[in-house]
Amino acid sequence: MNSIVEAAPAVRPRTDPTQYVAHAALAVVLLLMLAFLAAPLLAILQQSLQDAEGGFAGLANFVAYAKTPALMDSLVNSLWVSALVTAITVPLAFAFAYALRRTRMRFKAVFRGITLLPLLAPSLLAAISLIYWFGNQGVLKGAMQALGIDSIYGAPGVVIAECFAVFPHALMILVTALGAADGRLYEAAHAMGTGTWRRFFTVTLPGAKYGLISASLVSFTLVITDFGIPKVIGGNFNMLATDVFKLVIGQQDFQRGAVVALLLLAPAVLTFTVDRWVASRQTALLTARAVPYRPARKPWRDGLATLYCVGVSALVLAMMGMAVFASFATFWPYNLAPTLNHYVMGLVDAEVGTAFVNSLTMAAGTAVFGTALVFGAAYLLEKTQGAGPLRAALRLLAVLPMAVPGLVLGLGYIFFFNAPDNPLGGLYHTMALLTICTIAHFYTTGHLTAVTALKAMDAEFEAVSASLKVPFWVTFRRVTLPICTPALVDIARYFFINAMTTISAVVFLYSPETKVAAIAILNLDEAGEMGAAAAMAVLITATSSVAMLLFMALAWIVDRRTQAWRA
């Protein structure tokens, strides 16, 4: 009897058949990520190792680049400009975030809303405004000369415009960092008689150091990879981003263009790696026993904070307002009477109206299909089991776009989808490819948002469904989607706004029929039609603002219909 028992084979738990469907869906998502993210990046590497005839050249292209003084100057220019903008922007953003979080000043929501306006505009709007303020026919042209700056074109204009464009990104990170504070630390410091400045350097700064590091890395990466601002106001001041455009579009030198793209990718990958390392070492600032920090009312400090926020907000409004004013001016600077001529010229004469429709189409497609892909992939990763190698590869590819500049990704799309033997070559120059590239470019932020929402849900939802033999897609439709609908709205809003304002990711991929509005602004600027360019930049900003309000209304409706259980 014992021998019979011992000889009986172990009973293995039966695999849920629905998991095979989940694994197949994971494989499909992985294939999409390989085709539209990994393969284009590998195409850049391959191109950099080939000669003009397609033969293997080894490191010859890199050596030739290093021996070209003009190209090396661009590398140095990009590095020091990025470092300078970071050194200026992060302290300014920290002071603003401190005023929002650690003072009792009034109108905080107004100040924060104003400083987030640049997120709704193409980055080159700042460059256009600076030209109207300090250019050769600018309102304050003499002010630049009084400061010893001969011209706003070149490094001075790039630095100022980049500070304007990067500021809201750094501010969002630092507002979050300063929002996590344990009031007990400040109470203890106050009880020990610690002075204000000593408390700032021993409690506040250490608590926000990871936020400061992340803000610095993000700022540096955004500047070194930006294309629009250097293109509009850089003049003869060359940077890596503009070099890629000149080499590929102007000189058709794809090999050296690939080399510069890899150099442009290196700082982004480095900063991404450092940011991940810093995040892994971060310890929790708030424990279960933490007490919310409530700043005491200090009239002198609150007054200074208000003055500072008024000053920064005024600068932001001045930049935005000048673009609006110039877009209505009849003939700058001789006839400033308001007119709609620039809007008519841009939308009708320059056929930007078609490009604007293309932008709306691309943004809507990015929002719909990007949200569906991101949330579906995140659900498969977080709420299904098995297929370990597939999951590991997909998790890596999901965070990779955060380290890939849009200009580099767009260049990779040229090399990969324009290859004669590529069966996907039919997508080249189509609106579908522009939409796919934009989704891939902004994939990581949407993915992290979806993962955060899904991790907040108890795993027992899926466990109970499995025990009742309910397929996972039924649980997804009936339980997960309704609960996570607010996150879906946030992801869609993020995709739509960024698709409306992006330039670098699609600057290599459009055709005359698929040109988008942000690219049309560059073309108007190159043609000397600065007024029409300003009008189109303002129009994109207005559209993004309306879209933001619509998404806010949608979020309110969603909360009312799907989140009543939270009350």
mmCIF file of all heavy atoms in Angstrom, residues 536-566:
data_model
loop_
_atom_site.group_PDB
_atom_site.id
_atom_site.type_symbol
_atom_site.label_atom_id
_atom_site.label_comp_id
_atom_site.label_asym_id
_atom_site.label_seq_id
_atom_site.Cartn_x
_atom_site.Cartn_y
_atom_site.Cartn_z
ATOM 1 N N MET A 536 0.268 80.998 -35.126
ATOM 2 C CA MET A 536 0.040 79.557 -35.070
ATOM 3 C C MET A 536 0.464 78.970 -33.725
ATOM 4 O O MET A 536 -0.164 78.043 -33.209
ATOM 5 C CB MET A 536 0.799 78.859 -36.208
ATOM 6 C CG MET A 536 0.303 79.248 -37.604
ATOM 7 S SD MET A 536 -1.487 78.963 -37.840
ATOM 8 C CE MET A 536 -2.146 80.620 -37.582
ATOM 9 N N ALA A 537 1.533 79.509 -33.132
ATOM 10 C CA ALA A 537 1.944 79.051 -31.800
ATOM 11 C C ALA A 537 0.871 79.387 -30.774
ATOM 12 O O ALA A 537 0.567 78.576 -29.881
ATOM 13 C CB ALA A 537 3.279 79.682 -31.416
ATOM 14 N N VAL A 538 0.297 80.580 -30.880
ATOM 15 C CA VAL A 538 -0.782 80.972 -29.973
ATOM 16 C C VAL A 538 -1.998 80.082 -30.182
ATOM 17 O O VAL A 538 -2.673 79.680 -29.220
ATOM 18 C CB VAL A 538 -1.145 82.453 -30.193
ATOM 19 C CG1 VAL A 538 -2.426 82.816 -29.440
ATOM 20 C CG2 VAL A 538 0.002 83.351 -29.741
ATOM 21 N N LEU A 539 -2.277 79.749 -31.438
ATOM 22 C CA LEU A 539 -3.436 78.895 -31.734
ATOM 23 C C LEU A 539 -3.260 77.503 -31.127
ATOM 24 O O LEU A 539 -4.215 76.918 -30.589
ATOM 25 C CB LEU A 539 -3.624 78.794 -33.240
ATOM 26 C CG LEU A 539 -4.984 78.287 -33.735
ATOM 27 C CD1 LEU A 539 -6.115 79.153 -33.195
ATOM 28 C CD2 LEU A 539 -5.012 78.266 -35.258
ATOM 29 N N ILE A 540 -2.049 76.945 -31.205
ATOM 30 C CA ILE A 540 -1.787 75.647 -30.581
ATOM 31 C C ILE A 540 -1.964 75.740 -29.069
ATOM 32 O O ILE A 540 -2.558 74.857 -28.437
ATOM 33 C CB ILE A 540 -0.366 75.160 -30.931
ATOM 34 C CG1 ILE A 540 -0.280 74.781 -32.404
ATOM 35 C CG2 ILE A 540 0.029 73.971 -30.062
ATOM 36 C CD1 ILE A 540 1.092 74.323 -32.837
ATOM 37 N N THR A 541 -1.455 76.824 -28.474
ATOM 38 C CA THR A 541 -1.586 77.010 -27.028
ATOM 39 C C THR A 541 -3.050 77.105 -26.623
ATOM 40 O O THR A 541 -3.479 76.509 -25.620
ATOM 41 C CB THR A 541 -0.833 78.272 -26.579
ATOM 42 O OG1 THR A 541 0.527 78.205 -27.028
ATOM 43 C CG2 THR A 541 -0.859 78.419 -25.072
ATOM 44 N N ALA A 542 -3.836 77.872 -27.396
ATOM 45 C CA ALA A 542 -5.262 78.013 -27.094
ATOM 46 C C ALA A 542 -5.979 76.676 -27.217
ATOM 47 O O ALA A 542 -6.831 76.325 -26.383
ATOM 48 C CB ALA A 542 -5.890 79.051 -28.030
ATOM 49 N N THR A 543 -5.635 75.913 -28.254
ATOM 50 C CA THR A 543 -6.262 74.604 -28.429
ATOM 51 C C THR A 543 -5.914 73.669 -27.280
ATOM 52 O O THR A 543 -6.779 72.937 -26.766
ATOM 53 C CB THR A 543 -5.822 73.977 -29.760
ATOM 54 O OG1 THR A 543 -6.131 74.877 -30.827
ATOM 55 C CG2 THR A 543 -6.498 72.648 -29.996
ATOM 56 N N SER A 544 -4.650 73.675 -26.867
ATOM 57 C CA SER A 544 -4.236 72.842 -25.740
ATOM 58 C C SER A 544 -4.953 73.261 -24.460
ATOM 59 O O SER A 544 -5.331 72.402 -23.645
ATOM 60 C CB SER A 544 -2.717 72.931 -25.546
ATOM 61 O OG SER A 544 -2.022 72.481 -26.696
ATOM 62 N N SER A 545 -5.158 74.567 -24.287
ATOM 63 C CA SER A 545 -5.860 75.051 -23.094
ATOM 64 C C SER A 545 -7.311 74.591 -23.094
ATOM 65 O O SER A 545 -7.836 74.140 -22.058
ATOM 66 C CB SER A 545 -5.791 76.581 -23.038
ATOM 67 O OG SER A 545 -4.448 77.034 -23.004
ATOM 68 N N VAL A 546 -7.967 74.693 -24.257
ATOM 69 C CA VAL A 546 -9.358 74.224 -24.355
ATOM 70 C C VAL A 546 -9.425 72.720 -24.103
ATOM 71 O O VAL A 546 -10.323 72.229 -23.394
ATOM 72 C CB VAL A 546 -9.941 74.578 -25.733
ATOM 73 C CG1 VAL A 546 -11.306 73.922 -25.913
ATOM 74 C CG2 VAL A 546 -10.059 76.085 -25.895
ATOM 75 N N ALA A 547 -8.480 71.989 -24.671
ATOM 76 C CA ALA A 547 -8.450 70.542 -24.451
ATOM 77 C C ALA A 547 -8.260 70.218 -22.977
ATOM 78 O O ALA A 547 -8.888 69.294 -22.439
ATOM 79 C CB ALA A 547 -7.335 69.915 -25.281
ATOM 80 N N MET A 548 -7.413 70.983 -22.310
ATOM 81 C CA MET A 548 -7.200 70.774 -20.877
ATOM 82 C C MET A 548 -8.498 70.983 -20.099
ATOM 83 O O MET A 548 -8.848 70.192 -19.206
ATOM 84 C CB MET A 548 -6.122 71.727 -20.368
ATOM 85 C CG MET A 548 -5.808 71.584 -18.882
ATOM 86 S SD MET A 548 -4.994 70.027 -18.494
ATOM 87 C CE MET A 548 -3.353 70.361 -19.136
ATOM 88 N N LEU A 549 -9.237 72.026 -20.435
ATOM 89 C CA LEU A 549 -10.510 72.282 -19.756
ATOM 90 C C LEU A 549 -11.511 71.169 -20.041
ATOM 91 O O LEU A 549 -12.260 70.747 -19.138
ATOM 92 C CB LEU A 549 -11.068 73.632 -20.208
ATOM 93 C CG LEU A 549 -10.257 74.874 -19.807
ATOM 94 C CD1 LEU A 549 -10.869 76.134 -20.416
ATOM 95 C CD2 LEU A 549 -10.188 75.007 -18.281
ATOM 96 N N LEU A 550 -11.539 70.675 -21.278
ATOM 97 C CA LEU A 550 -12.449 69.589 -21.620
ATOM 98 C C LEU A 550 -12.089 68.308 -20.866
ATOM 99 O O LEU A 550 -12.978 67.573 -20.393
ATOM 100 C CB LEU A 550 -12.439 69.338 -23.122
ATOM 101 C CG LEU A 550 -13.039 70.447 -23.995
ATOM 102 C CD1 LEU A 550 -12.873 70.116 -25.479
ATOM 103 C CD2 LEU A 550 -14.525 70.646 -23.667
ATOM 104 N N PHE A 551 -10.814 68.037 -20.763
ATOM 105 C CA PHE A 551 -10.393 66.859 -20.001
ATOM 106 C C PHE A 551 -10.720 67.011 -18.518
ATOM 107 O O PHE A 551 -11.062 66.028 -17.851
ATOM 108 C CB PHE A 551 -8.897 66.606 -20.193
ATOM 109 C CG PHE A 551 -8.566 65.812 -21.420
ATOM 110 C CD1 PHE A 551 -7.919 66.399 -22.502
ATOM 111 C CD2 PHE A 551 -8.906 64.470 -21.498
ATOM 112 C CE1 PHE A 551 -7.615 65.667 -23.627
ATOM 113 C CE2 PHE A 551 -8.595 63.728 -22.632
ATOM 114 C CZ PHE A 551 -7.955 64.325 -23.704
ATOM 115 N N MET A 552 -10.606 68.238 -17.996
ATOM 116 C CA MET A 552 -10.995 68.470 -16.606
ATOM 117 C C MET A 552 -12.484 68.223 -16.407
ATOM 118 O O MET A 552 -12.907 67.616 -15.409
ATOM 119 C CB MET A 552 -10.625 69.898 -16.189
ATOM 120 C CG MET A 552 -9.135 70.145 -16.074
ATOM 121 S SD MET A 552 -8.722 71.892 -15.794
ATOM 122 C CE MET A 552 -9.527 72.170 -14.216
ATOM 123 N N ALA A 553 -13.301 68.661 -17.366
ATOM 124 C CA ALA A 553 -14.740 68.409 -17.288
ATOM 125 C C ALA A 553 -15.028 66.916 -17.395
ATOM 126 O O ALA A 553 -15.887 66.378 -16.672
ATOM 127 C CB ALA A 553 -15.460 69.173 -18.397
ATOM 128 N N LEU A 554 -14.307 66.234 -18.288
ATOM 129 C CA LEU A 554 -14.482 64.784 -18.422
ATOM 130 C C LEU A 554 -14.096 64.076 -17.134
ATOM 131 O O LEU A 554 -14.777 63.133 -16.703
ATOM 132 C CB LEU A 554 -13.638 64.273 -19.586
ATOM 133 C CG LEU A 554 -13.683 62.763 -19.842
ATOM 134 C CD1 LEU A 554 -15.103 62.314 -20.163
ATOM 135 C CD2 LEU A 554 -12.722 62.384 -20.973
ATOM 136 N N ALA A 555 -13.011 64.528 -16.502
ATOM 137 C CA ALA A 555 -12.594 63.920 -15.237
ATOM 138 C C ALA A 555 -13.663 64.104 -14.166
ATOM 139 O O ALA A 555 -13.922 63.191 -13.362
ATOM 140 C CB ALA A 555 -11.269 64.529 -14.783
ATOM 141 N N TRP A 556 -14.293 65.277 -14.148
ATOM 142 C CA TRP A 556 -15.351 65.527 -13.164
ATOM 143 C C TRP A 556 -16.540 64.604 -13.402
ATOM 144 O O TRP A 556 -17.104 64.027 -12.456
ATOM 145 C CB TRP A 556 -15.784 66.980 -13.247
ATOM 146 C CG TRP A 556 -16.874 67.350 -12.268
ATOM 147 C CD1 TRP A 556 -16.721 67.656 -10.947
ATOM 148 C CD2 TRP A 556 -18.276 67.440 -12.559
ATOM 149 N NE1 TRP A 556 -17.953 67.935 -10.383
ATOM 150 C CE2 TRP A 556 -18.920 67.805 -11.341
ATOM 151 C CE3 TRP A 556 -19.046 67.257 -13.700
ATOM 152 C CZ2 TRP A 556 -20.301 67.993 -11.259
ATOM 153 C CZ3 TRP A 556 -20.417 67.431 -13.619
ATOM 154 C CH2 TRP A 556 -21.033 67.798 -12.411
ATOM 155 N N ILE A 557 -16.916 64.430 -14.675
ATOM 156 C CA ILE A 557 -18.035 63.535 -15.008
ATOM 157 C C ILE A 557 -17.695 62.097 -14.634
ATOM 158 O O ILE A 557 -18.512 61.358 -14.068
ATOM 159 C CB ILE A 557 -18.373 63.644 -16.505
ATOM 160 C CG1 ILE A 557 -18.897 65.047 -16.828
ATOM 161 C CG2 ILE A 557 -19.397 62.587 -16.905
ATOM 162 C CD1 ILE A 557 -19.083 65.301 -18.315
ATOM 163 N N VAL A 558 -16.456 61.699 -14.921
ATOM 164 C CA VAL A 558 -16.019 60.337 -14.614
ATOM 165 C C VAL A 558 -16.057 60.087 -13.112
ATOM 166 O O VAL A 558 -16.495 59.028 -12.641
ATOM 167 C CB VAL A 558 -14.609 60.100 -15.180
ATOM 168 C CG1 VAL A 558 -13.950 58.894 -14.531
ATOM 169 C CG2 VAL A 558 -14.676 59.920 -16.685
ATOM 170 N N ASP A 559 -15.584 61.068 -12.343
ATOM 171 C CA ASP A 559 -15.612 60.917 -10.886
ATOM 172 C C ASP A 559 -17.040 60.747 -10.379
ATOM 173 O O ASP A 559 -17.302 59.951 -9.471
ATOM 174 C CB ASP A 559 -14.955 62.127 -10.215
ATOM 175 C CG ASP A 559 -13.444 62.071 -10.312
ATOM 176 O OD1 ASP A 559 -12.921 60.979 -10.582
ATOM 177 O OD2 ASP A 559 -12.797 63.114 -10.125
ATOM 178 N N ARG A 560 -17.954 61.518 -10.951
ATOM 179 C CA ARG A 560 -19.349 61.428 -10.508
ATOM 180 C C ARG A 560 -19.963 60.071 -10.848
ATOM 181 O O ARG A 560 -20.775 59.539 -10.070
ATOM 182 C CB ARG A 560 -20.173 62.540 -11.164
ATOM 183 C CG ARG A 560 -19.833 63.951 -10.699
ATOM 184 C CD ARG A 560 -20.356 64.215 -9.289
ATOM 185 N NE ARG A 560 -21.791 64.070 -9.212
ATOM 186 C CZ ARG A 560 -22.660 65.055 -9.440
ATOM 187 N NH1 ARG A 560 -22.206 66.262 -9.759
ATOM 188 N NH2 ARG A 560 -23.964 64.856 -9.331
ATOM 189 N N ARG A 561 -19.598 59.501 -11.987
ATOM 190 C CA ARG A 561 -20.262 58.288 -12.466
ATOM 191 C C ARG A 561 -19.578 57.002 -12.004
ATOM 192 O O ARG A 561 -20.242 55.962 -11.880
ATOM 193 C CB ARG A 561 -20.328 58.290 -13.997
ATOM 194 C CG ARG A 561 -21.217 59.385 -14.567
ATOM 195 C CD ARG A 561 -21.232 59.330 -16.084
ATOM 196 N NE ARG A 561 -21.771 58.070 -16.576
ATOM 197 C CZ ARG A 561 -23.064 57.850 -16.799
ATOM 198 N NH1 ARG A 561 -23.948 58.813 -16.564
ATOM 199 N NH2 ARG A 561 -23.477 56.677 -17.263
ATOM 200 N N THR A 562 -18.271 57.037 -11.777
ATOM 201 C CA THR A 562 -17.555 55.789 -11.480
ATOM 202 C C THR A 562 -16.877 55.760 -10.119
ATOM 203 O O THR A 562 -16.427 54.699 -9.695
ATOM 204 C CB THR A 562 -16.487 55.512 -12.552
ATOM 205 O OG1 THR A 562 -15.459 56.513 -12.473
ATOM 206 C CG2 THR A 562 -17.091 55.510 -13.944
ATOM 207 N N GLN A 563 -16.769 56.901 -9.434
ATOM 208 C CA GLN A 563 -16.017 56.925 -8.186
ATOM 209 C C GLN A 563 -16.887 57.218 -6.966
ATOM 210 O O GLN A 563 -16.366 57.587 -5.906
ATOM 211 C CB GLN A 563 -14.893 57.976 -8.278
ATOM 212 C CG GLN A 563 -13.988 57.804 -9.479
ATOM 213 C CD GLN A 563 -13.289 56.461 -9.486
ATOM 214 O OE1 GLN A 563 -12.629 56.085 -8.517
ATOM 215 N NE2 GLN A 563 -13.440 55.719 -10.588
ATOM 216 N N ALA A 564 -18.195 57.071 -7.108
ATOM 217 C CA ALA A 564 -19.071 57.335 -5.961
ATOM 218 C C ALA A 564 -18.803 56.376 -4.812
ATOM 219 O O ALA A 564 -19.014 56.723 -3.639
ATOM 220 C CB ALA A 564 -20.529 57.230 -6.406
ATOM 221 N N TRP A 565 -18.302 55.172 -5.126
ATOM 222 C CA TRP A 565 -18.029 54.184 -4.084
ATOM 223 C C TRP A 565 -16.961 54.665 -3.102
ATOM 224 O O TRP A 565 -16.899 54.208 -1.961
ATOM 225 C CB TRP A 565 -17.589 52.866 -4.730
ATOM 226 C CG TRP A 565 -16.341 53.013 -5.553
ATOM 227 C CD1 TRP A 565 -16.258 53.372 -6.847
ATOM 228 C CD2 TRP A 565 -14.993 52.793 -5.109
ATOM 229 N NE1 TRP A 565 -14.957 53.412 -7.273
ATOM 230 C CE2 TRP A 565 -14.158 53.055 -6.215
ATOM 231 C CE3 TRP A 565 -14.423 52.424 -3.904
ATOM 232 C CZ2 TRP A 565 -12.779 52.948 -6.138
ATOM 233 C CZ3 TRP A 565 -13.041 52.307 -3.824
ATOM 234 C CH2 TRP A 565 -12.241 52.568 -4.934
ATOM 235 N N ARG A 566 -16.072 55.575 -3.549
ATOM 236 C CA ARG A 566 -15.009 56.055 -2.664
ATOM 237 C C ARG A 566 -15.572 56.861 -1.494
ATOM 238 O O ARG A 566 -14.952 56.958 -0.442
ATOM 239 C CB ARG A 566 -14.027 56.927 -3.439
ATOM 240 C CG ARG A 566 -13.254 56.163 -4.511
ATOM 241 C CD ARG A 566 -12.241 57.045 -5.194
ATOM 242 N NE ARG A 566 -11.533 56.340 -6.247
ATOM 243 C CZ ARG A 566 -10.427 55.618 -6.052
ATOM 244 N NH1 ARG A 566 -9.919 55.526 -4.845
ATOM 245 N NH2 ARG A 566 -9.847 55.001 -7.063
#
